[in-house]
Amino acid sequence: MNNAIKLHPSDNVVVALTTLEPGEQIVIEEIGLLQEVTEKIPYGHKVCVEVIRQDEKILKYGECMGIATNDIQVGQHVHVHNVRGLKESERVVSVADYA
Amino acid sequence: MKTFKGYKRANGTFGVRNHVIVINTVGELAGVANKLADLVPGVVPVIQQGGTSQFPEDAMQTIRTIKGTVGHPNVYAAVILGMGEDDFAEQIAVELREEQCKVEAIVINKNTSIDKIFTDGKTWLNQSYEDSLKVERVDVPITELTIGLECGGSDAWSGITANPAIGVCSDLIVDDGATSILAETTEAIGAEHILARRAVNEQIAKDFLTIVKNYENRILDTGEDIRSANPTPGNMAGGLTTLEEKSLGCIKKGGYAPLQQVLKYAEKPETKGFVFMDTPGYDVESVAGLAAGGSQIVLFSTGKGSPTGSPIVPVIKVGTNPKLYEIMSEHIDVNAGTIVEGKKTLQDVGEEIYNLVMEVADGEKTKAEQHRNQEFAIWRLAQSI
């Protein structure tokens, strides 16, 4: 039975469907992902599944939802203590960028 | 080509319902409109509280919404109840009759007394209702289907289960050559750059960024700042980290398809595929706009469990978590909580929603329809005068 969900194939985080205890394995049957969480992950929260370096993008839904404020290892909790939102200058640059 | 069983209208559109309705142009007529509709069983009252003492922009929006509601393909015939010299009921009736719609305008204190309204109105409605029962469903290509996408009473699971599952359904519908309309401009604030990037050209991207900016500025004018207020402490406890993430969870109802057009509130799309409509986050007003813009069915995700429906379009509720389904199953059509339980995937639930859309298009009643939840309100941009 799945205990986490990956919302897009390119995501570097998955969402815990139950509260995961340290040492517990992430189970997502359809992609066969099996990794251990290294700290407690409350249900609904994100856990890192690929090493994310400081200043790299956090990808959820295949989109950038924030920037890592320090290195994040596989199995670690990804939340407000190690992620920041985008600054205005990092978001809309100009309309031409979207075409 | 896939088909559904719909009602063919004289103007070439197709409905999934065959309603006879009574609608009021101004809030002062809400009670009279309700009473008139009550005289003929089966007739649906479409009641709103606005319509007078409005800024011009709001008056235009009210007229556009009422016209879109009366001329909706799910509506077989309609009485528009108006009041006073400047009332727009007759004008809408004339314009819609040119589009082959069956419409009767009745204007109080202009050409008729209250007594006569009830007598004449009842006769017209009785006849229309009887005629409506003779119309039979025919095979309609799925490309004639338009689906509205909405959420109300979101919770921490909305962006993980119900919204992306609705997104899977939206992409399936777009792949079929049909149309899906994402709404709720407020919910896109913070992720507008992401959705704009999906625009098919620079102009559409610009249109989208403009409606988000205008909405945000109107909110700022009231002294509220939606960006710094989100995500809320409650959102963070639920696992949401950034504003981008919160808004992404909402816009995922629109799947991954390219953005073809940006619509005004209650405006009809000129294209097939995935489009966005400028509406508020408030469900009742947003659903009324989606319907007036031609959506025949609305998909509605809910975490806290909203019973709301619509007088003219079937609203399919997708519950986000298992607990909600347990306590509010009489209002929930699809339980996306099965994803939280690890029993089903997003793809499974997306296909489940898609299959239900086809059944509802064929005539299957949604929970909101079974309970006759028929809320209706028109979005106001300014205050009353």
Side-chain angles (χ1 to χ4, degrees):
Chain A
M1 194 96 89
N2 294 344
N3 60 13
I5 185 168
K6 193 173 190 182
L7 290 157
H8 190 271
S10 67
D11 290 356
N12 50 21
V13 295
V14 299
V15 178
L17 295 172
T18 62
T19 296
L20 302 172
E21 299 297 337
E24 209 172 324
Q25 291 212 307
I26 300 167
V27 182
I28 302 177
E29 282 166 13
E30 68 261 33
I31 52 173
L33 185 76
L34 289 168
Q35 286 161 315
E36 253 179 35
V37 302
T38 55
E39 53 190 327
K40 183 174 175 171
I41 313 290
Y43 71 92
H45 286 234
K46 294 172 290 300
V47 52
C48 174
V49 290
E50 273 172 47
V51 176
I52 307 168
R53 298 286 170 207
Q54 185 175 347
D55 297 327
E56 280 182 357
K57 292 173 178 174
I58 312 294
L59 296 174
K60 183 182 174 185
Y61 305 104
E63 309 280 4
C64 174
M65 54 138 282
I67 305 288
T69 54
N70 48 261
D71 291 356
I72 309 173
Q73 303 304 323
V74 172
Q76 283 187 332
H77 189 200
V78 177
H79 201 26
V80 289
H81 61 289
N82 53 15
V83 180
R84 65 166 175 83
L86 300 186
K87 295 173 192 158
E88 203 60 27
S89 59
E90 292 166 323
R91 298 172 59 235
V92 180
V93 182
S94 85
V95 164
D97 295 344
Y98 300 112
Chain B
M1 163 91 58
K2 283 178 204 149
T3 59
F4 64 92
K5 291 275 185 193
Y7 298 97
K8 188 177 195 315
R9 303 301 177 202
N11 61 7
T13 61
F14 297 91
V16 301
R17 294 295 181 266
N18 201 39
H19 295 307
V20 176
I21 67 168
V22 176
I23 190 167
N24 56 319
T25 58
V26 292
E28 287 88 335
L29 293 172
V32 180
N34 248 326
K35 279 183 216 158
L36 177 57
D38 272 354
L39 293 177
V40 182
V43 167
V44 180
V46 184
I47 307 300
Q48 56 109 7
Q49 303 297 339
T52 46
S53 308
Q54 294 184 343
F55 283 92
E57 197 184 2
D58 272 327
M60 300 278 290
Q61 189 146 294
T62 300
I63 293 170
R64 187 167 67 246
T65 309
I66 291 178
K67 191 175 167 187
T69 305
V70 172
H72 194 280
N74 286 0
V75 174
Y76 172 76
V79 165
I80 316 179
L81 207 52
M83 187 176 78
E85 286 302 313
D86 301 323
D87 194 87
F88 49 85
E90 284 174 326
Q91 185 56 36
I92 291 181
V94 168
E95 288 172 20
L96 285 175
R97 276 192 212 117
E98 279 169 17
E99 295 172 24
Q100 318 280 318
C101 297
K102 284 173 73 76
V103 189
E104 181 77 347
I106 301 179
V107 180
I108 292 182
N109 71 16
K110 185 172 177 188
N111 53 12
T112 187
S113 68
I114 296 272
D115 257 4
K116 194 159 160 38
I117 285 164
F118 287 132
T119 316
D120 292 356
K122 187 181 173 182
T123 307
W124 196 89
L125 288 168
N126 254 326
Q127 187 61 52
S128 298
Y129 189 70
E130 273 175 36
D131 293 345
S132 77
L133 300 176
K134 294 174 198 151
V135 186
E136 285 184 10
R137 287 181 181 267
V138 296
D139 286 326
V140 182
I142 192 170
T143 50
E144 297 298 326
L145 199 58
T146 301
I147 304 297
L149 312 172
E150 174 70 24
C151 53
S154 297
D155 70 353
W157 294 108
S158 300
I160 301 163
T161 61
N163 290 354
I166 286 176
V168 168
C169 174
S170 173
D171 284 343
L172 289 171
I173 282 167
V174 169
D175 284 348
D176 282 339
T179 303
S180 100
I181 310 179
L182 182 63
E184 299 177 295
T185 314
T186 44
E187 313 293 329
I189 294 173
E192 69 270 32
H193 56 297
I194 293 162
L195 197 47
R197 219 173 272 135
R198 276 162 58 186
V200 290
N201 62 46
E202 197 175 318
Q203 185 57 47
I204 305 298
K206 195 175 170 183
D207 290 350
F208 180 69
L209 293 172
T210 303
I211 60 161
V212 174
K213 184 127 199 86
N214 287 348
Y215 207 131
E216 196 177 357
N217 286 341
R218 280 202 302 273
I219 297 169
L220 285 169
D221 285 345
T222 70
E224 300 290 337
D225 179 359
I226 223 163
R227 278 180 204 259
S228 55
N230 278 294
T232 63
N235 291 152
M236 287 187 203
L240 290 176
T241 307
T242 62
L243 177 59
E244 289 82 3
E245 184 184 16
K246 183 177 180 175
S247 295
L248 269 167
C250 177
I251 63 174
K252 273 301 150 220
K253 294 195 298 295
Y256 294 91
L259 177 64
Q260 305 283 349
Q261 197 189 353
V262 177
L263 305 169
K264 283 191 283 198
Y265 180 81
E267 187 186 15
K268 291 183 178 63
E270 285 163 3
T271 167
K272 307 277 184 192
F274 173 61
V275 302
F276 190 93
M277 181 184 285
D278 187 14
T279 79
Y282 173 41
D283 352 326
V284 178
E285 291 177 358
S286 186
V287 169
L290 283 167
S295 304
Q296 295 123 314
I297 295 171
V298 167
L299 298 176
F300 188 118
S301 72
T302 182
K304 301 198 172 89
S306 165
T308 193
S310 154
I312 62 164
V313 297
V315 175
I316 297 174
K317 295 282 163 49
V318 183
T320 68
N321 67 78
K323 181 140 192 245
L324 175 71
Y325 193 67
E326 201 181 297
I327 58 179
M328 276 189 84
S329 58
E330 63 184 334
H331 295 291
I332 306 296
D333 298 281
V334 177
N335 177 18
T338 49
I339 296 168
V340 182
E341 295 171 316
K343 291 178 185 164
K344 287 189 182 169
T345 64
L346 280 177
Q347 189 67 29
D348 294 338
V349 177
E351 285 170 15
E352 198 181 322
I353 298 167
Y354 176 86
N355 292 335
L356 184 58
V357 165
M358 297 310 289
E359 286 169 23
V360 168
D362 286 344
E364 176 93 12
K365 283 199 165 142
T366 64
K367 297 282 174 75
E369 284 179 296
Q370 288 165 24
H371 294 293
R372 291 198 195 167
N373 298 336
Q374 299 174 335
E375 289 68 30
F376 184 81
I378 300 172
W379 181 30
R380 300 285 294 274
L381 300 160
Q383 54 194 329
S384 295
I385 303 170

